[in-house]
Amino acid sequence: MLTGSKTTFKVRQMVPDIKERMLSHSGVHARGREMFGLCCLPGECVLQRAVLVRKKLSAREGGGWLSGTLFCTHFRVAFVPQDSPKPDDNADPVLLGDHDVALASIEKVVAVGPSRTKLVTPNSSLKFTPEELVLYCRDLRVLCFLFDRLTPDTQAIEITYTIAKTYQPLKPGTLFSFQNAALGSIEMKQFLSNRRRDPNMNWFECPADWEQELERTGATGWRVSSVNDRFEMSTSLSRFNVVPQKVLDTELKKTFAHFNEGRIPRWCWRHPRGSDLLRMASFQNNIYHEKDDIRNLELVLFGGQQVCVVVDLGEEMPSPADIQLAHTRLRALCLGDISASVTVPDDKWLSTLEGTHWLDYTRCCLRKAAEVACLLRGGHLTVALQEPEDRDMNCVVSSLVQVMCDPHSRTVAGFQSLVQKEWVMAGHRFLSRINYHRDSDKEEAPVFLLFLDCVWQLWDQYPGRFQLTGDYLLALHDSVHIPLFSSFLANCQRERCRRSQHLPQSYTPINGLREMLPRGASDDPTDPPFPPVWDWALQYSSQRQARFTQPVSQPICSQPLLNGNLNTNLDPNQYGDGVPGSVFLLSRGTFSSPSNLLPWRSAGSSASYRKSHRRAPSSESLPGLERLIKACSLTEPPQNTNTAFHDPHEPLLPLLLGPCVRVWKDCYLRGALHAQAFSHPMSSITQHPVEQLACEVQQLREKLAQVSIVRPANAAKRQESHRPEANLNQNANNETFLFASSRAAQQHHASNRATAHPSALTKTPHPTPATSRSSNRDNNKHTFLFGHQSEGRHVPTRNAKLPKNN
């Protein structure tokens, strides 16, 4: 590093002749351009560069430092290693390399000197030569670059100032200039116009796409309605919606006025056991309900089923303001700030993490989605998710339910179709929630990032049941912070359609078919064609995309029981006693039938409606670890143990207690360098405190599994005979995890032991304690309780002597 310098450098702009020489270095019509070893996009120019720079690699990248050249363009900050292969000019352009970061993703630029650090802004001046350059990004990355002793001082200062001046997203118009820098050139527009969409995913942009989804799920009694084709009924809903077949479009038009923003109950997904999942906004209580309107409302809400359960998400789920506050605290904790004087010590890091409430909100979303998933598998009812505006938490819960229950949603193509259906087409306010323009801070809330965290929790607990990987979720998380994709640049389909009608040119694709588009200014650079976020080949290299998928396995062993205050034992008898047309409310783990649930039934004039006061046992009233409730399966296990696989539509119920809901460290803690979250320098191979704690918990689990002693088989059978259901275990667990039993697996192990040792039952009527422990451990390895011994039972040691009377 350089020694301290008292010289004051005056920050100046790039010399004009240097910039002209850079621009003339590449041809105007070249598709891929090499500039000082950097493969630039069409129309991209280098503003500044610094040689002999070392980049600090993260733990995922192997740690250490990587030497190369640092570039700053008007679109990105790029780092090219000195041993990188020569770029191919004929290759398709890729927006960001493995060591690049978009300017719009940068949130803070910090220069580190010999004895001080400084937050660099466009109006600030550096009074020292920076030795390190630290970039804090919105996607929770921290990039650290070290300038070598031989790096010219002017290059180190000018590239620091150039990055600080060009990344600023708060100025009006800078977002459009950033988009034009990446996609505004004629070559890039021509290239994007010829891109083909992924044929394996469903885009839900035409009636045929919705028909395909109805056929895939086996949903009967539903049809695709185009009554909102011109967005006259609801400006925030999609053009096509799935409604019951018995409701005509002329009758359907009258129902929009009875819901907020006209967001009527719409079909989302059908469970293989016959239940339908709907989502809707809150009712308009000040609307007069005519007799014909009531009939149509009943048909739309029930959808051909006899019973409807309304799941109110308005009170239980966190608000967008709560999510934004929690995410802000999480960012401040995980990123840290070497330019600030306040740091979190190691001994208070976990308590500060708990104070952010981010993991609490993640656990809340998983809990509610698991309750809805267990409710749907009861079969033959309609579950309607209700939210005041139907544009935030309904998207989260409905998507999580399908990820838990539908194996297709756990593939890459199915997951992308799910996001396209439940978020993009359903009208989630991506533009307002992500707040690219920084003009609506009150509307900003990372609801979609909370959903990705919930999906990662499921993937972390059931990695073999997902085709997509953690790298895929991380890539989607980072793409949210780049304002270049049409999926995130609008609040609803109507806004996307309005923007697509003003495309500046009509292009001629390679296949020769001319796509006629509305004509505008032929050389208007302010409206580039934005690609969808699912065009991964445009964003990442083929090596990065290869890590997006993995083989899917189907385990034979049974799933673990749930823990936490999660009530998945939603007894169908709680709502099964209602007459056809009964409506129940599921709120806070409790069923009820309030008189004002449906506004048109508040007077009690409907003859088919009978009030029910039966309630399901609330899990909120159970103490601590006695809330362990098993979601009993409705299907009998198969007789052939060789094919005793799980039902593929059996929900992936998450574990919610303790360290089961973990920190997404590959995302949140990947920027934890020696200057963040620590009060002393640490090497890149040192584990984070959260990772150390997770290792300790895992070691404790293994020790508990080794020393645990299970009940004998006959005692387990006697105890099982007193239970109303063999698969239901309602005992407390002494702060341990309870694993489900597999009846077929137990019979299979018992038959194997009887076949292998036919004389064991006759010659050894009273086995020794050591033999008993080993046989019990083999017999009940699917039913043991960690650290839980049976009461009133003495287990002698190996050297203990038996009494004479025995």
Side-chain angles (χ1 to χ4, degrees), residues 508-735:
T508 303
I510 297 178
N511 55 14
L513 297 177
R514 185 174 183 82
E515 183 180 1
M516 299 303 298
L517 299 175
R519 295 180 177 272
S522 59
D523 55 352
D524 186 6
T526 61
D527 196 10
F530 296 132
V533 70
W534 316 119
D535 192 354
W536 297 114
L538 180 64
Q539 304 181 49
Y540 299 105
S541 61
S542 57
Q543 293 80 5
R544 181 75 180 272
Q545 297 180 58
R547 301 197 300 264
F548 286 176
T549 58
Q550 65 180 4
V552 181
S553 61
Q554 183 71 17
I556 300 179
C557 58
S558 56
Q559 297 182 8
L561 298 185
L562 295 182
N563 51 16
N565 55 345
L566 172 59
N567 186 2
T568 59
N569 188 24
L570 301 176
D571 189 4
N573 296 326
Q574 300 295 335
Y575 51 82
D577 60 342
V579 297
S582 298
V583 181
F584 295 86
L585 175 66
L586 176 61
S587 179
R588 302 187 183 277
T590 303
F591 285 106
S592 61
S593 296
S595 58
N596 60 347
L597 179 59
L598 302 182
W600 56 88
R601 289 184 175 183
S602 59
S605 58
S606 177
S608 63
Y609 176 68
R610 182 166 62 88
K611 194 173 181 180
S612 173
H613 296 281
R614 297 189 59 180
R615 287 178 174 267
S618 175
S619 60
E620 301 293 337
S621 61
L622 301 179
L625 293 173
E626 293 182 359
R627 297 168 180 169
L628 300 171
I629 300 177
K630 174 69 169 62
C632 53
S633 177
L634 298 181
T635 59
E636 292 295 331
Q639 299 297 330
N640 188 4
T641 57
N642 295 329
T643 61
F645 291 96
H646 280 298
D647 184 359
H649 297 279
E650 196 68 18
L652 301 182
L653 300 179
L655 298 172
L656 302 178
L657 269 185
C660 298
V661 178
R662 303 170 54 191
V663 178
W664 190 1
K665 60 181 181 180
D666 291 340
C667 178
Y668 303 150
L669 305 180
R670 53 181 167 169
L673 302 176
H674 59 86
Q676 290 104 29
F678 306 107
S679 58
H680 54 85
M682 299 181 65
S683 62
S684 59
I685 61 175
T686 305
Q687 289 184 336
H688 195 272
V690 176
E691 188 174 358
Q692 295 178 1
L693 182 62
C695 294
E696 294 177 3
V697 172
Q698 184 64 27
Q699 293 176 0
L700 290 176
R701 290 182 183 177
E702 295 176 357
K703 291 181 180 180
L704 288 173
Q706 293 175 0
V707 303
S708 61
I709 301 176
V710 298
R711 300 182 179 90
N714 52 0
K717 292 180 180 179
R718 288 197 304 268
Q719 196 174 34
E720 208 169 319
S721 61
H722 294 287
R723 300 175 184 174
E725 300 215 6
N727 291 332
L728 183 61
N729 194 318
Q730 297 176 346
N731 294 329
N733 202 15
N734 291 340
E735 301 185 5

Side-chain angles (χ1 to χ4, degrees), residues 405-423:
C405 299
D406 193 351
H408 177 69
S409 300
R410 298 192 286 269
T411 63
V412 172
F415 183 80
Q416 294 176 172
S417 301
L418 175 65
V419 175
Q420 194 73 16
K421 176 181 64 172
E422 300 295 340
W423 294 81

Side-chain angles (χ1 to χ4, degrees), residues 123-293:
N123 299 324
S124 63
S125 60
L126 290 175
K127 296 183 179 181
F128 60 91
T129 302
E131 297 179 352
E132 293 185 17
L133 176 63
V134 183
L135 304 180
Y136 292 87
C137 305
R138 296 186 63 200
D139 54 9
L140 298 174
R141 281 190 298 171
V142 179
L143 304 181
C144 183
F145 300 97
L146 176 65
F147 297 108
D148 194 79
R149 294 176 180 269
L150 301 179
T151 303
D153 295 345
T154 54
Q155 290 187 6
I157 294 176
E158 288 187 357
I159 196 170
T160 301
Y161 177 76
T162 303
I163 295 174
K165 183 178 180 181
T166 54
Y167 92 93
Q168 293 289 336
L170 299 176
K171 294 181 180 180
T174 54
L175 186 61
F176 297 103
S177 62
F178 168 80
Q179 295 168 351
N180 289 322
L183 310 175
S185 64
I186 298 178
E187 296 84 5
M188 201 66 183
K189 291 179 180 180
Q190 181 69 36
F191 173 72
L192 293 176
S193 65
N194 295 320
R195 300 290 289 179
R196 295 179 180 270
R197 288 188 170 185
D198 187 1
N200 297 322
M201 64 172 290
N202 195 334
W203 295 84
F204 294 98
E205 293 181 349
C206 62
D209 296 341
W210 289 97
E211 294 287 352
Q212 179 183 351
E213 181 69 7
L214 289 173
E215 182 180 357
R216 187 188 70 84
T217 58
T220 57
W222 301 89
R223 68 178 182 89
V224 182
S225 173
S226 59
V227 68
N228 196 41
D229 187 23
R230 298 180 178 272
F231 306 104
E232 296 176 351
M233 300 291 101
S234 176
T235 57
S236 61
L237 282 181
S238 60
R239 298 173 56 190
F240 308 103
N241 299 276
V242 179
V243 297
Q245 289 182 350
K246 297 180 180 180
V247 183
L248 302 179
D249 286 347
T250 56
E251 301 172 343
L252 188 63
K253 291 181 179 180
K254 302 178 182 180
T255 62
F256 285 88
H258 297 272
F259 299 89
N260 292 339
E261 297 186 10
R263 300 183 67 87
I264 60 174
R266 309 172 316 282
W267 178 88
C268 296
W269 180 71
R270 164 162 286 194
H271 195 277
R273 291 177 180 169
S275 299
D276 293 310
L277 179 64
L278 279 67
R279 54 182 295 184
M280 64 180 181
S282 299
F283 300 107
Q284 291 281 9
N285 295 326
N286 56 351
I287 301 296
Y288 177 73
H289 306 284
E290 298 181 356
K291 186 175 181 180
D292 294 339
D293 295 346

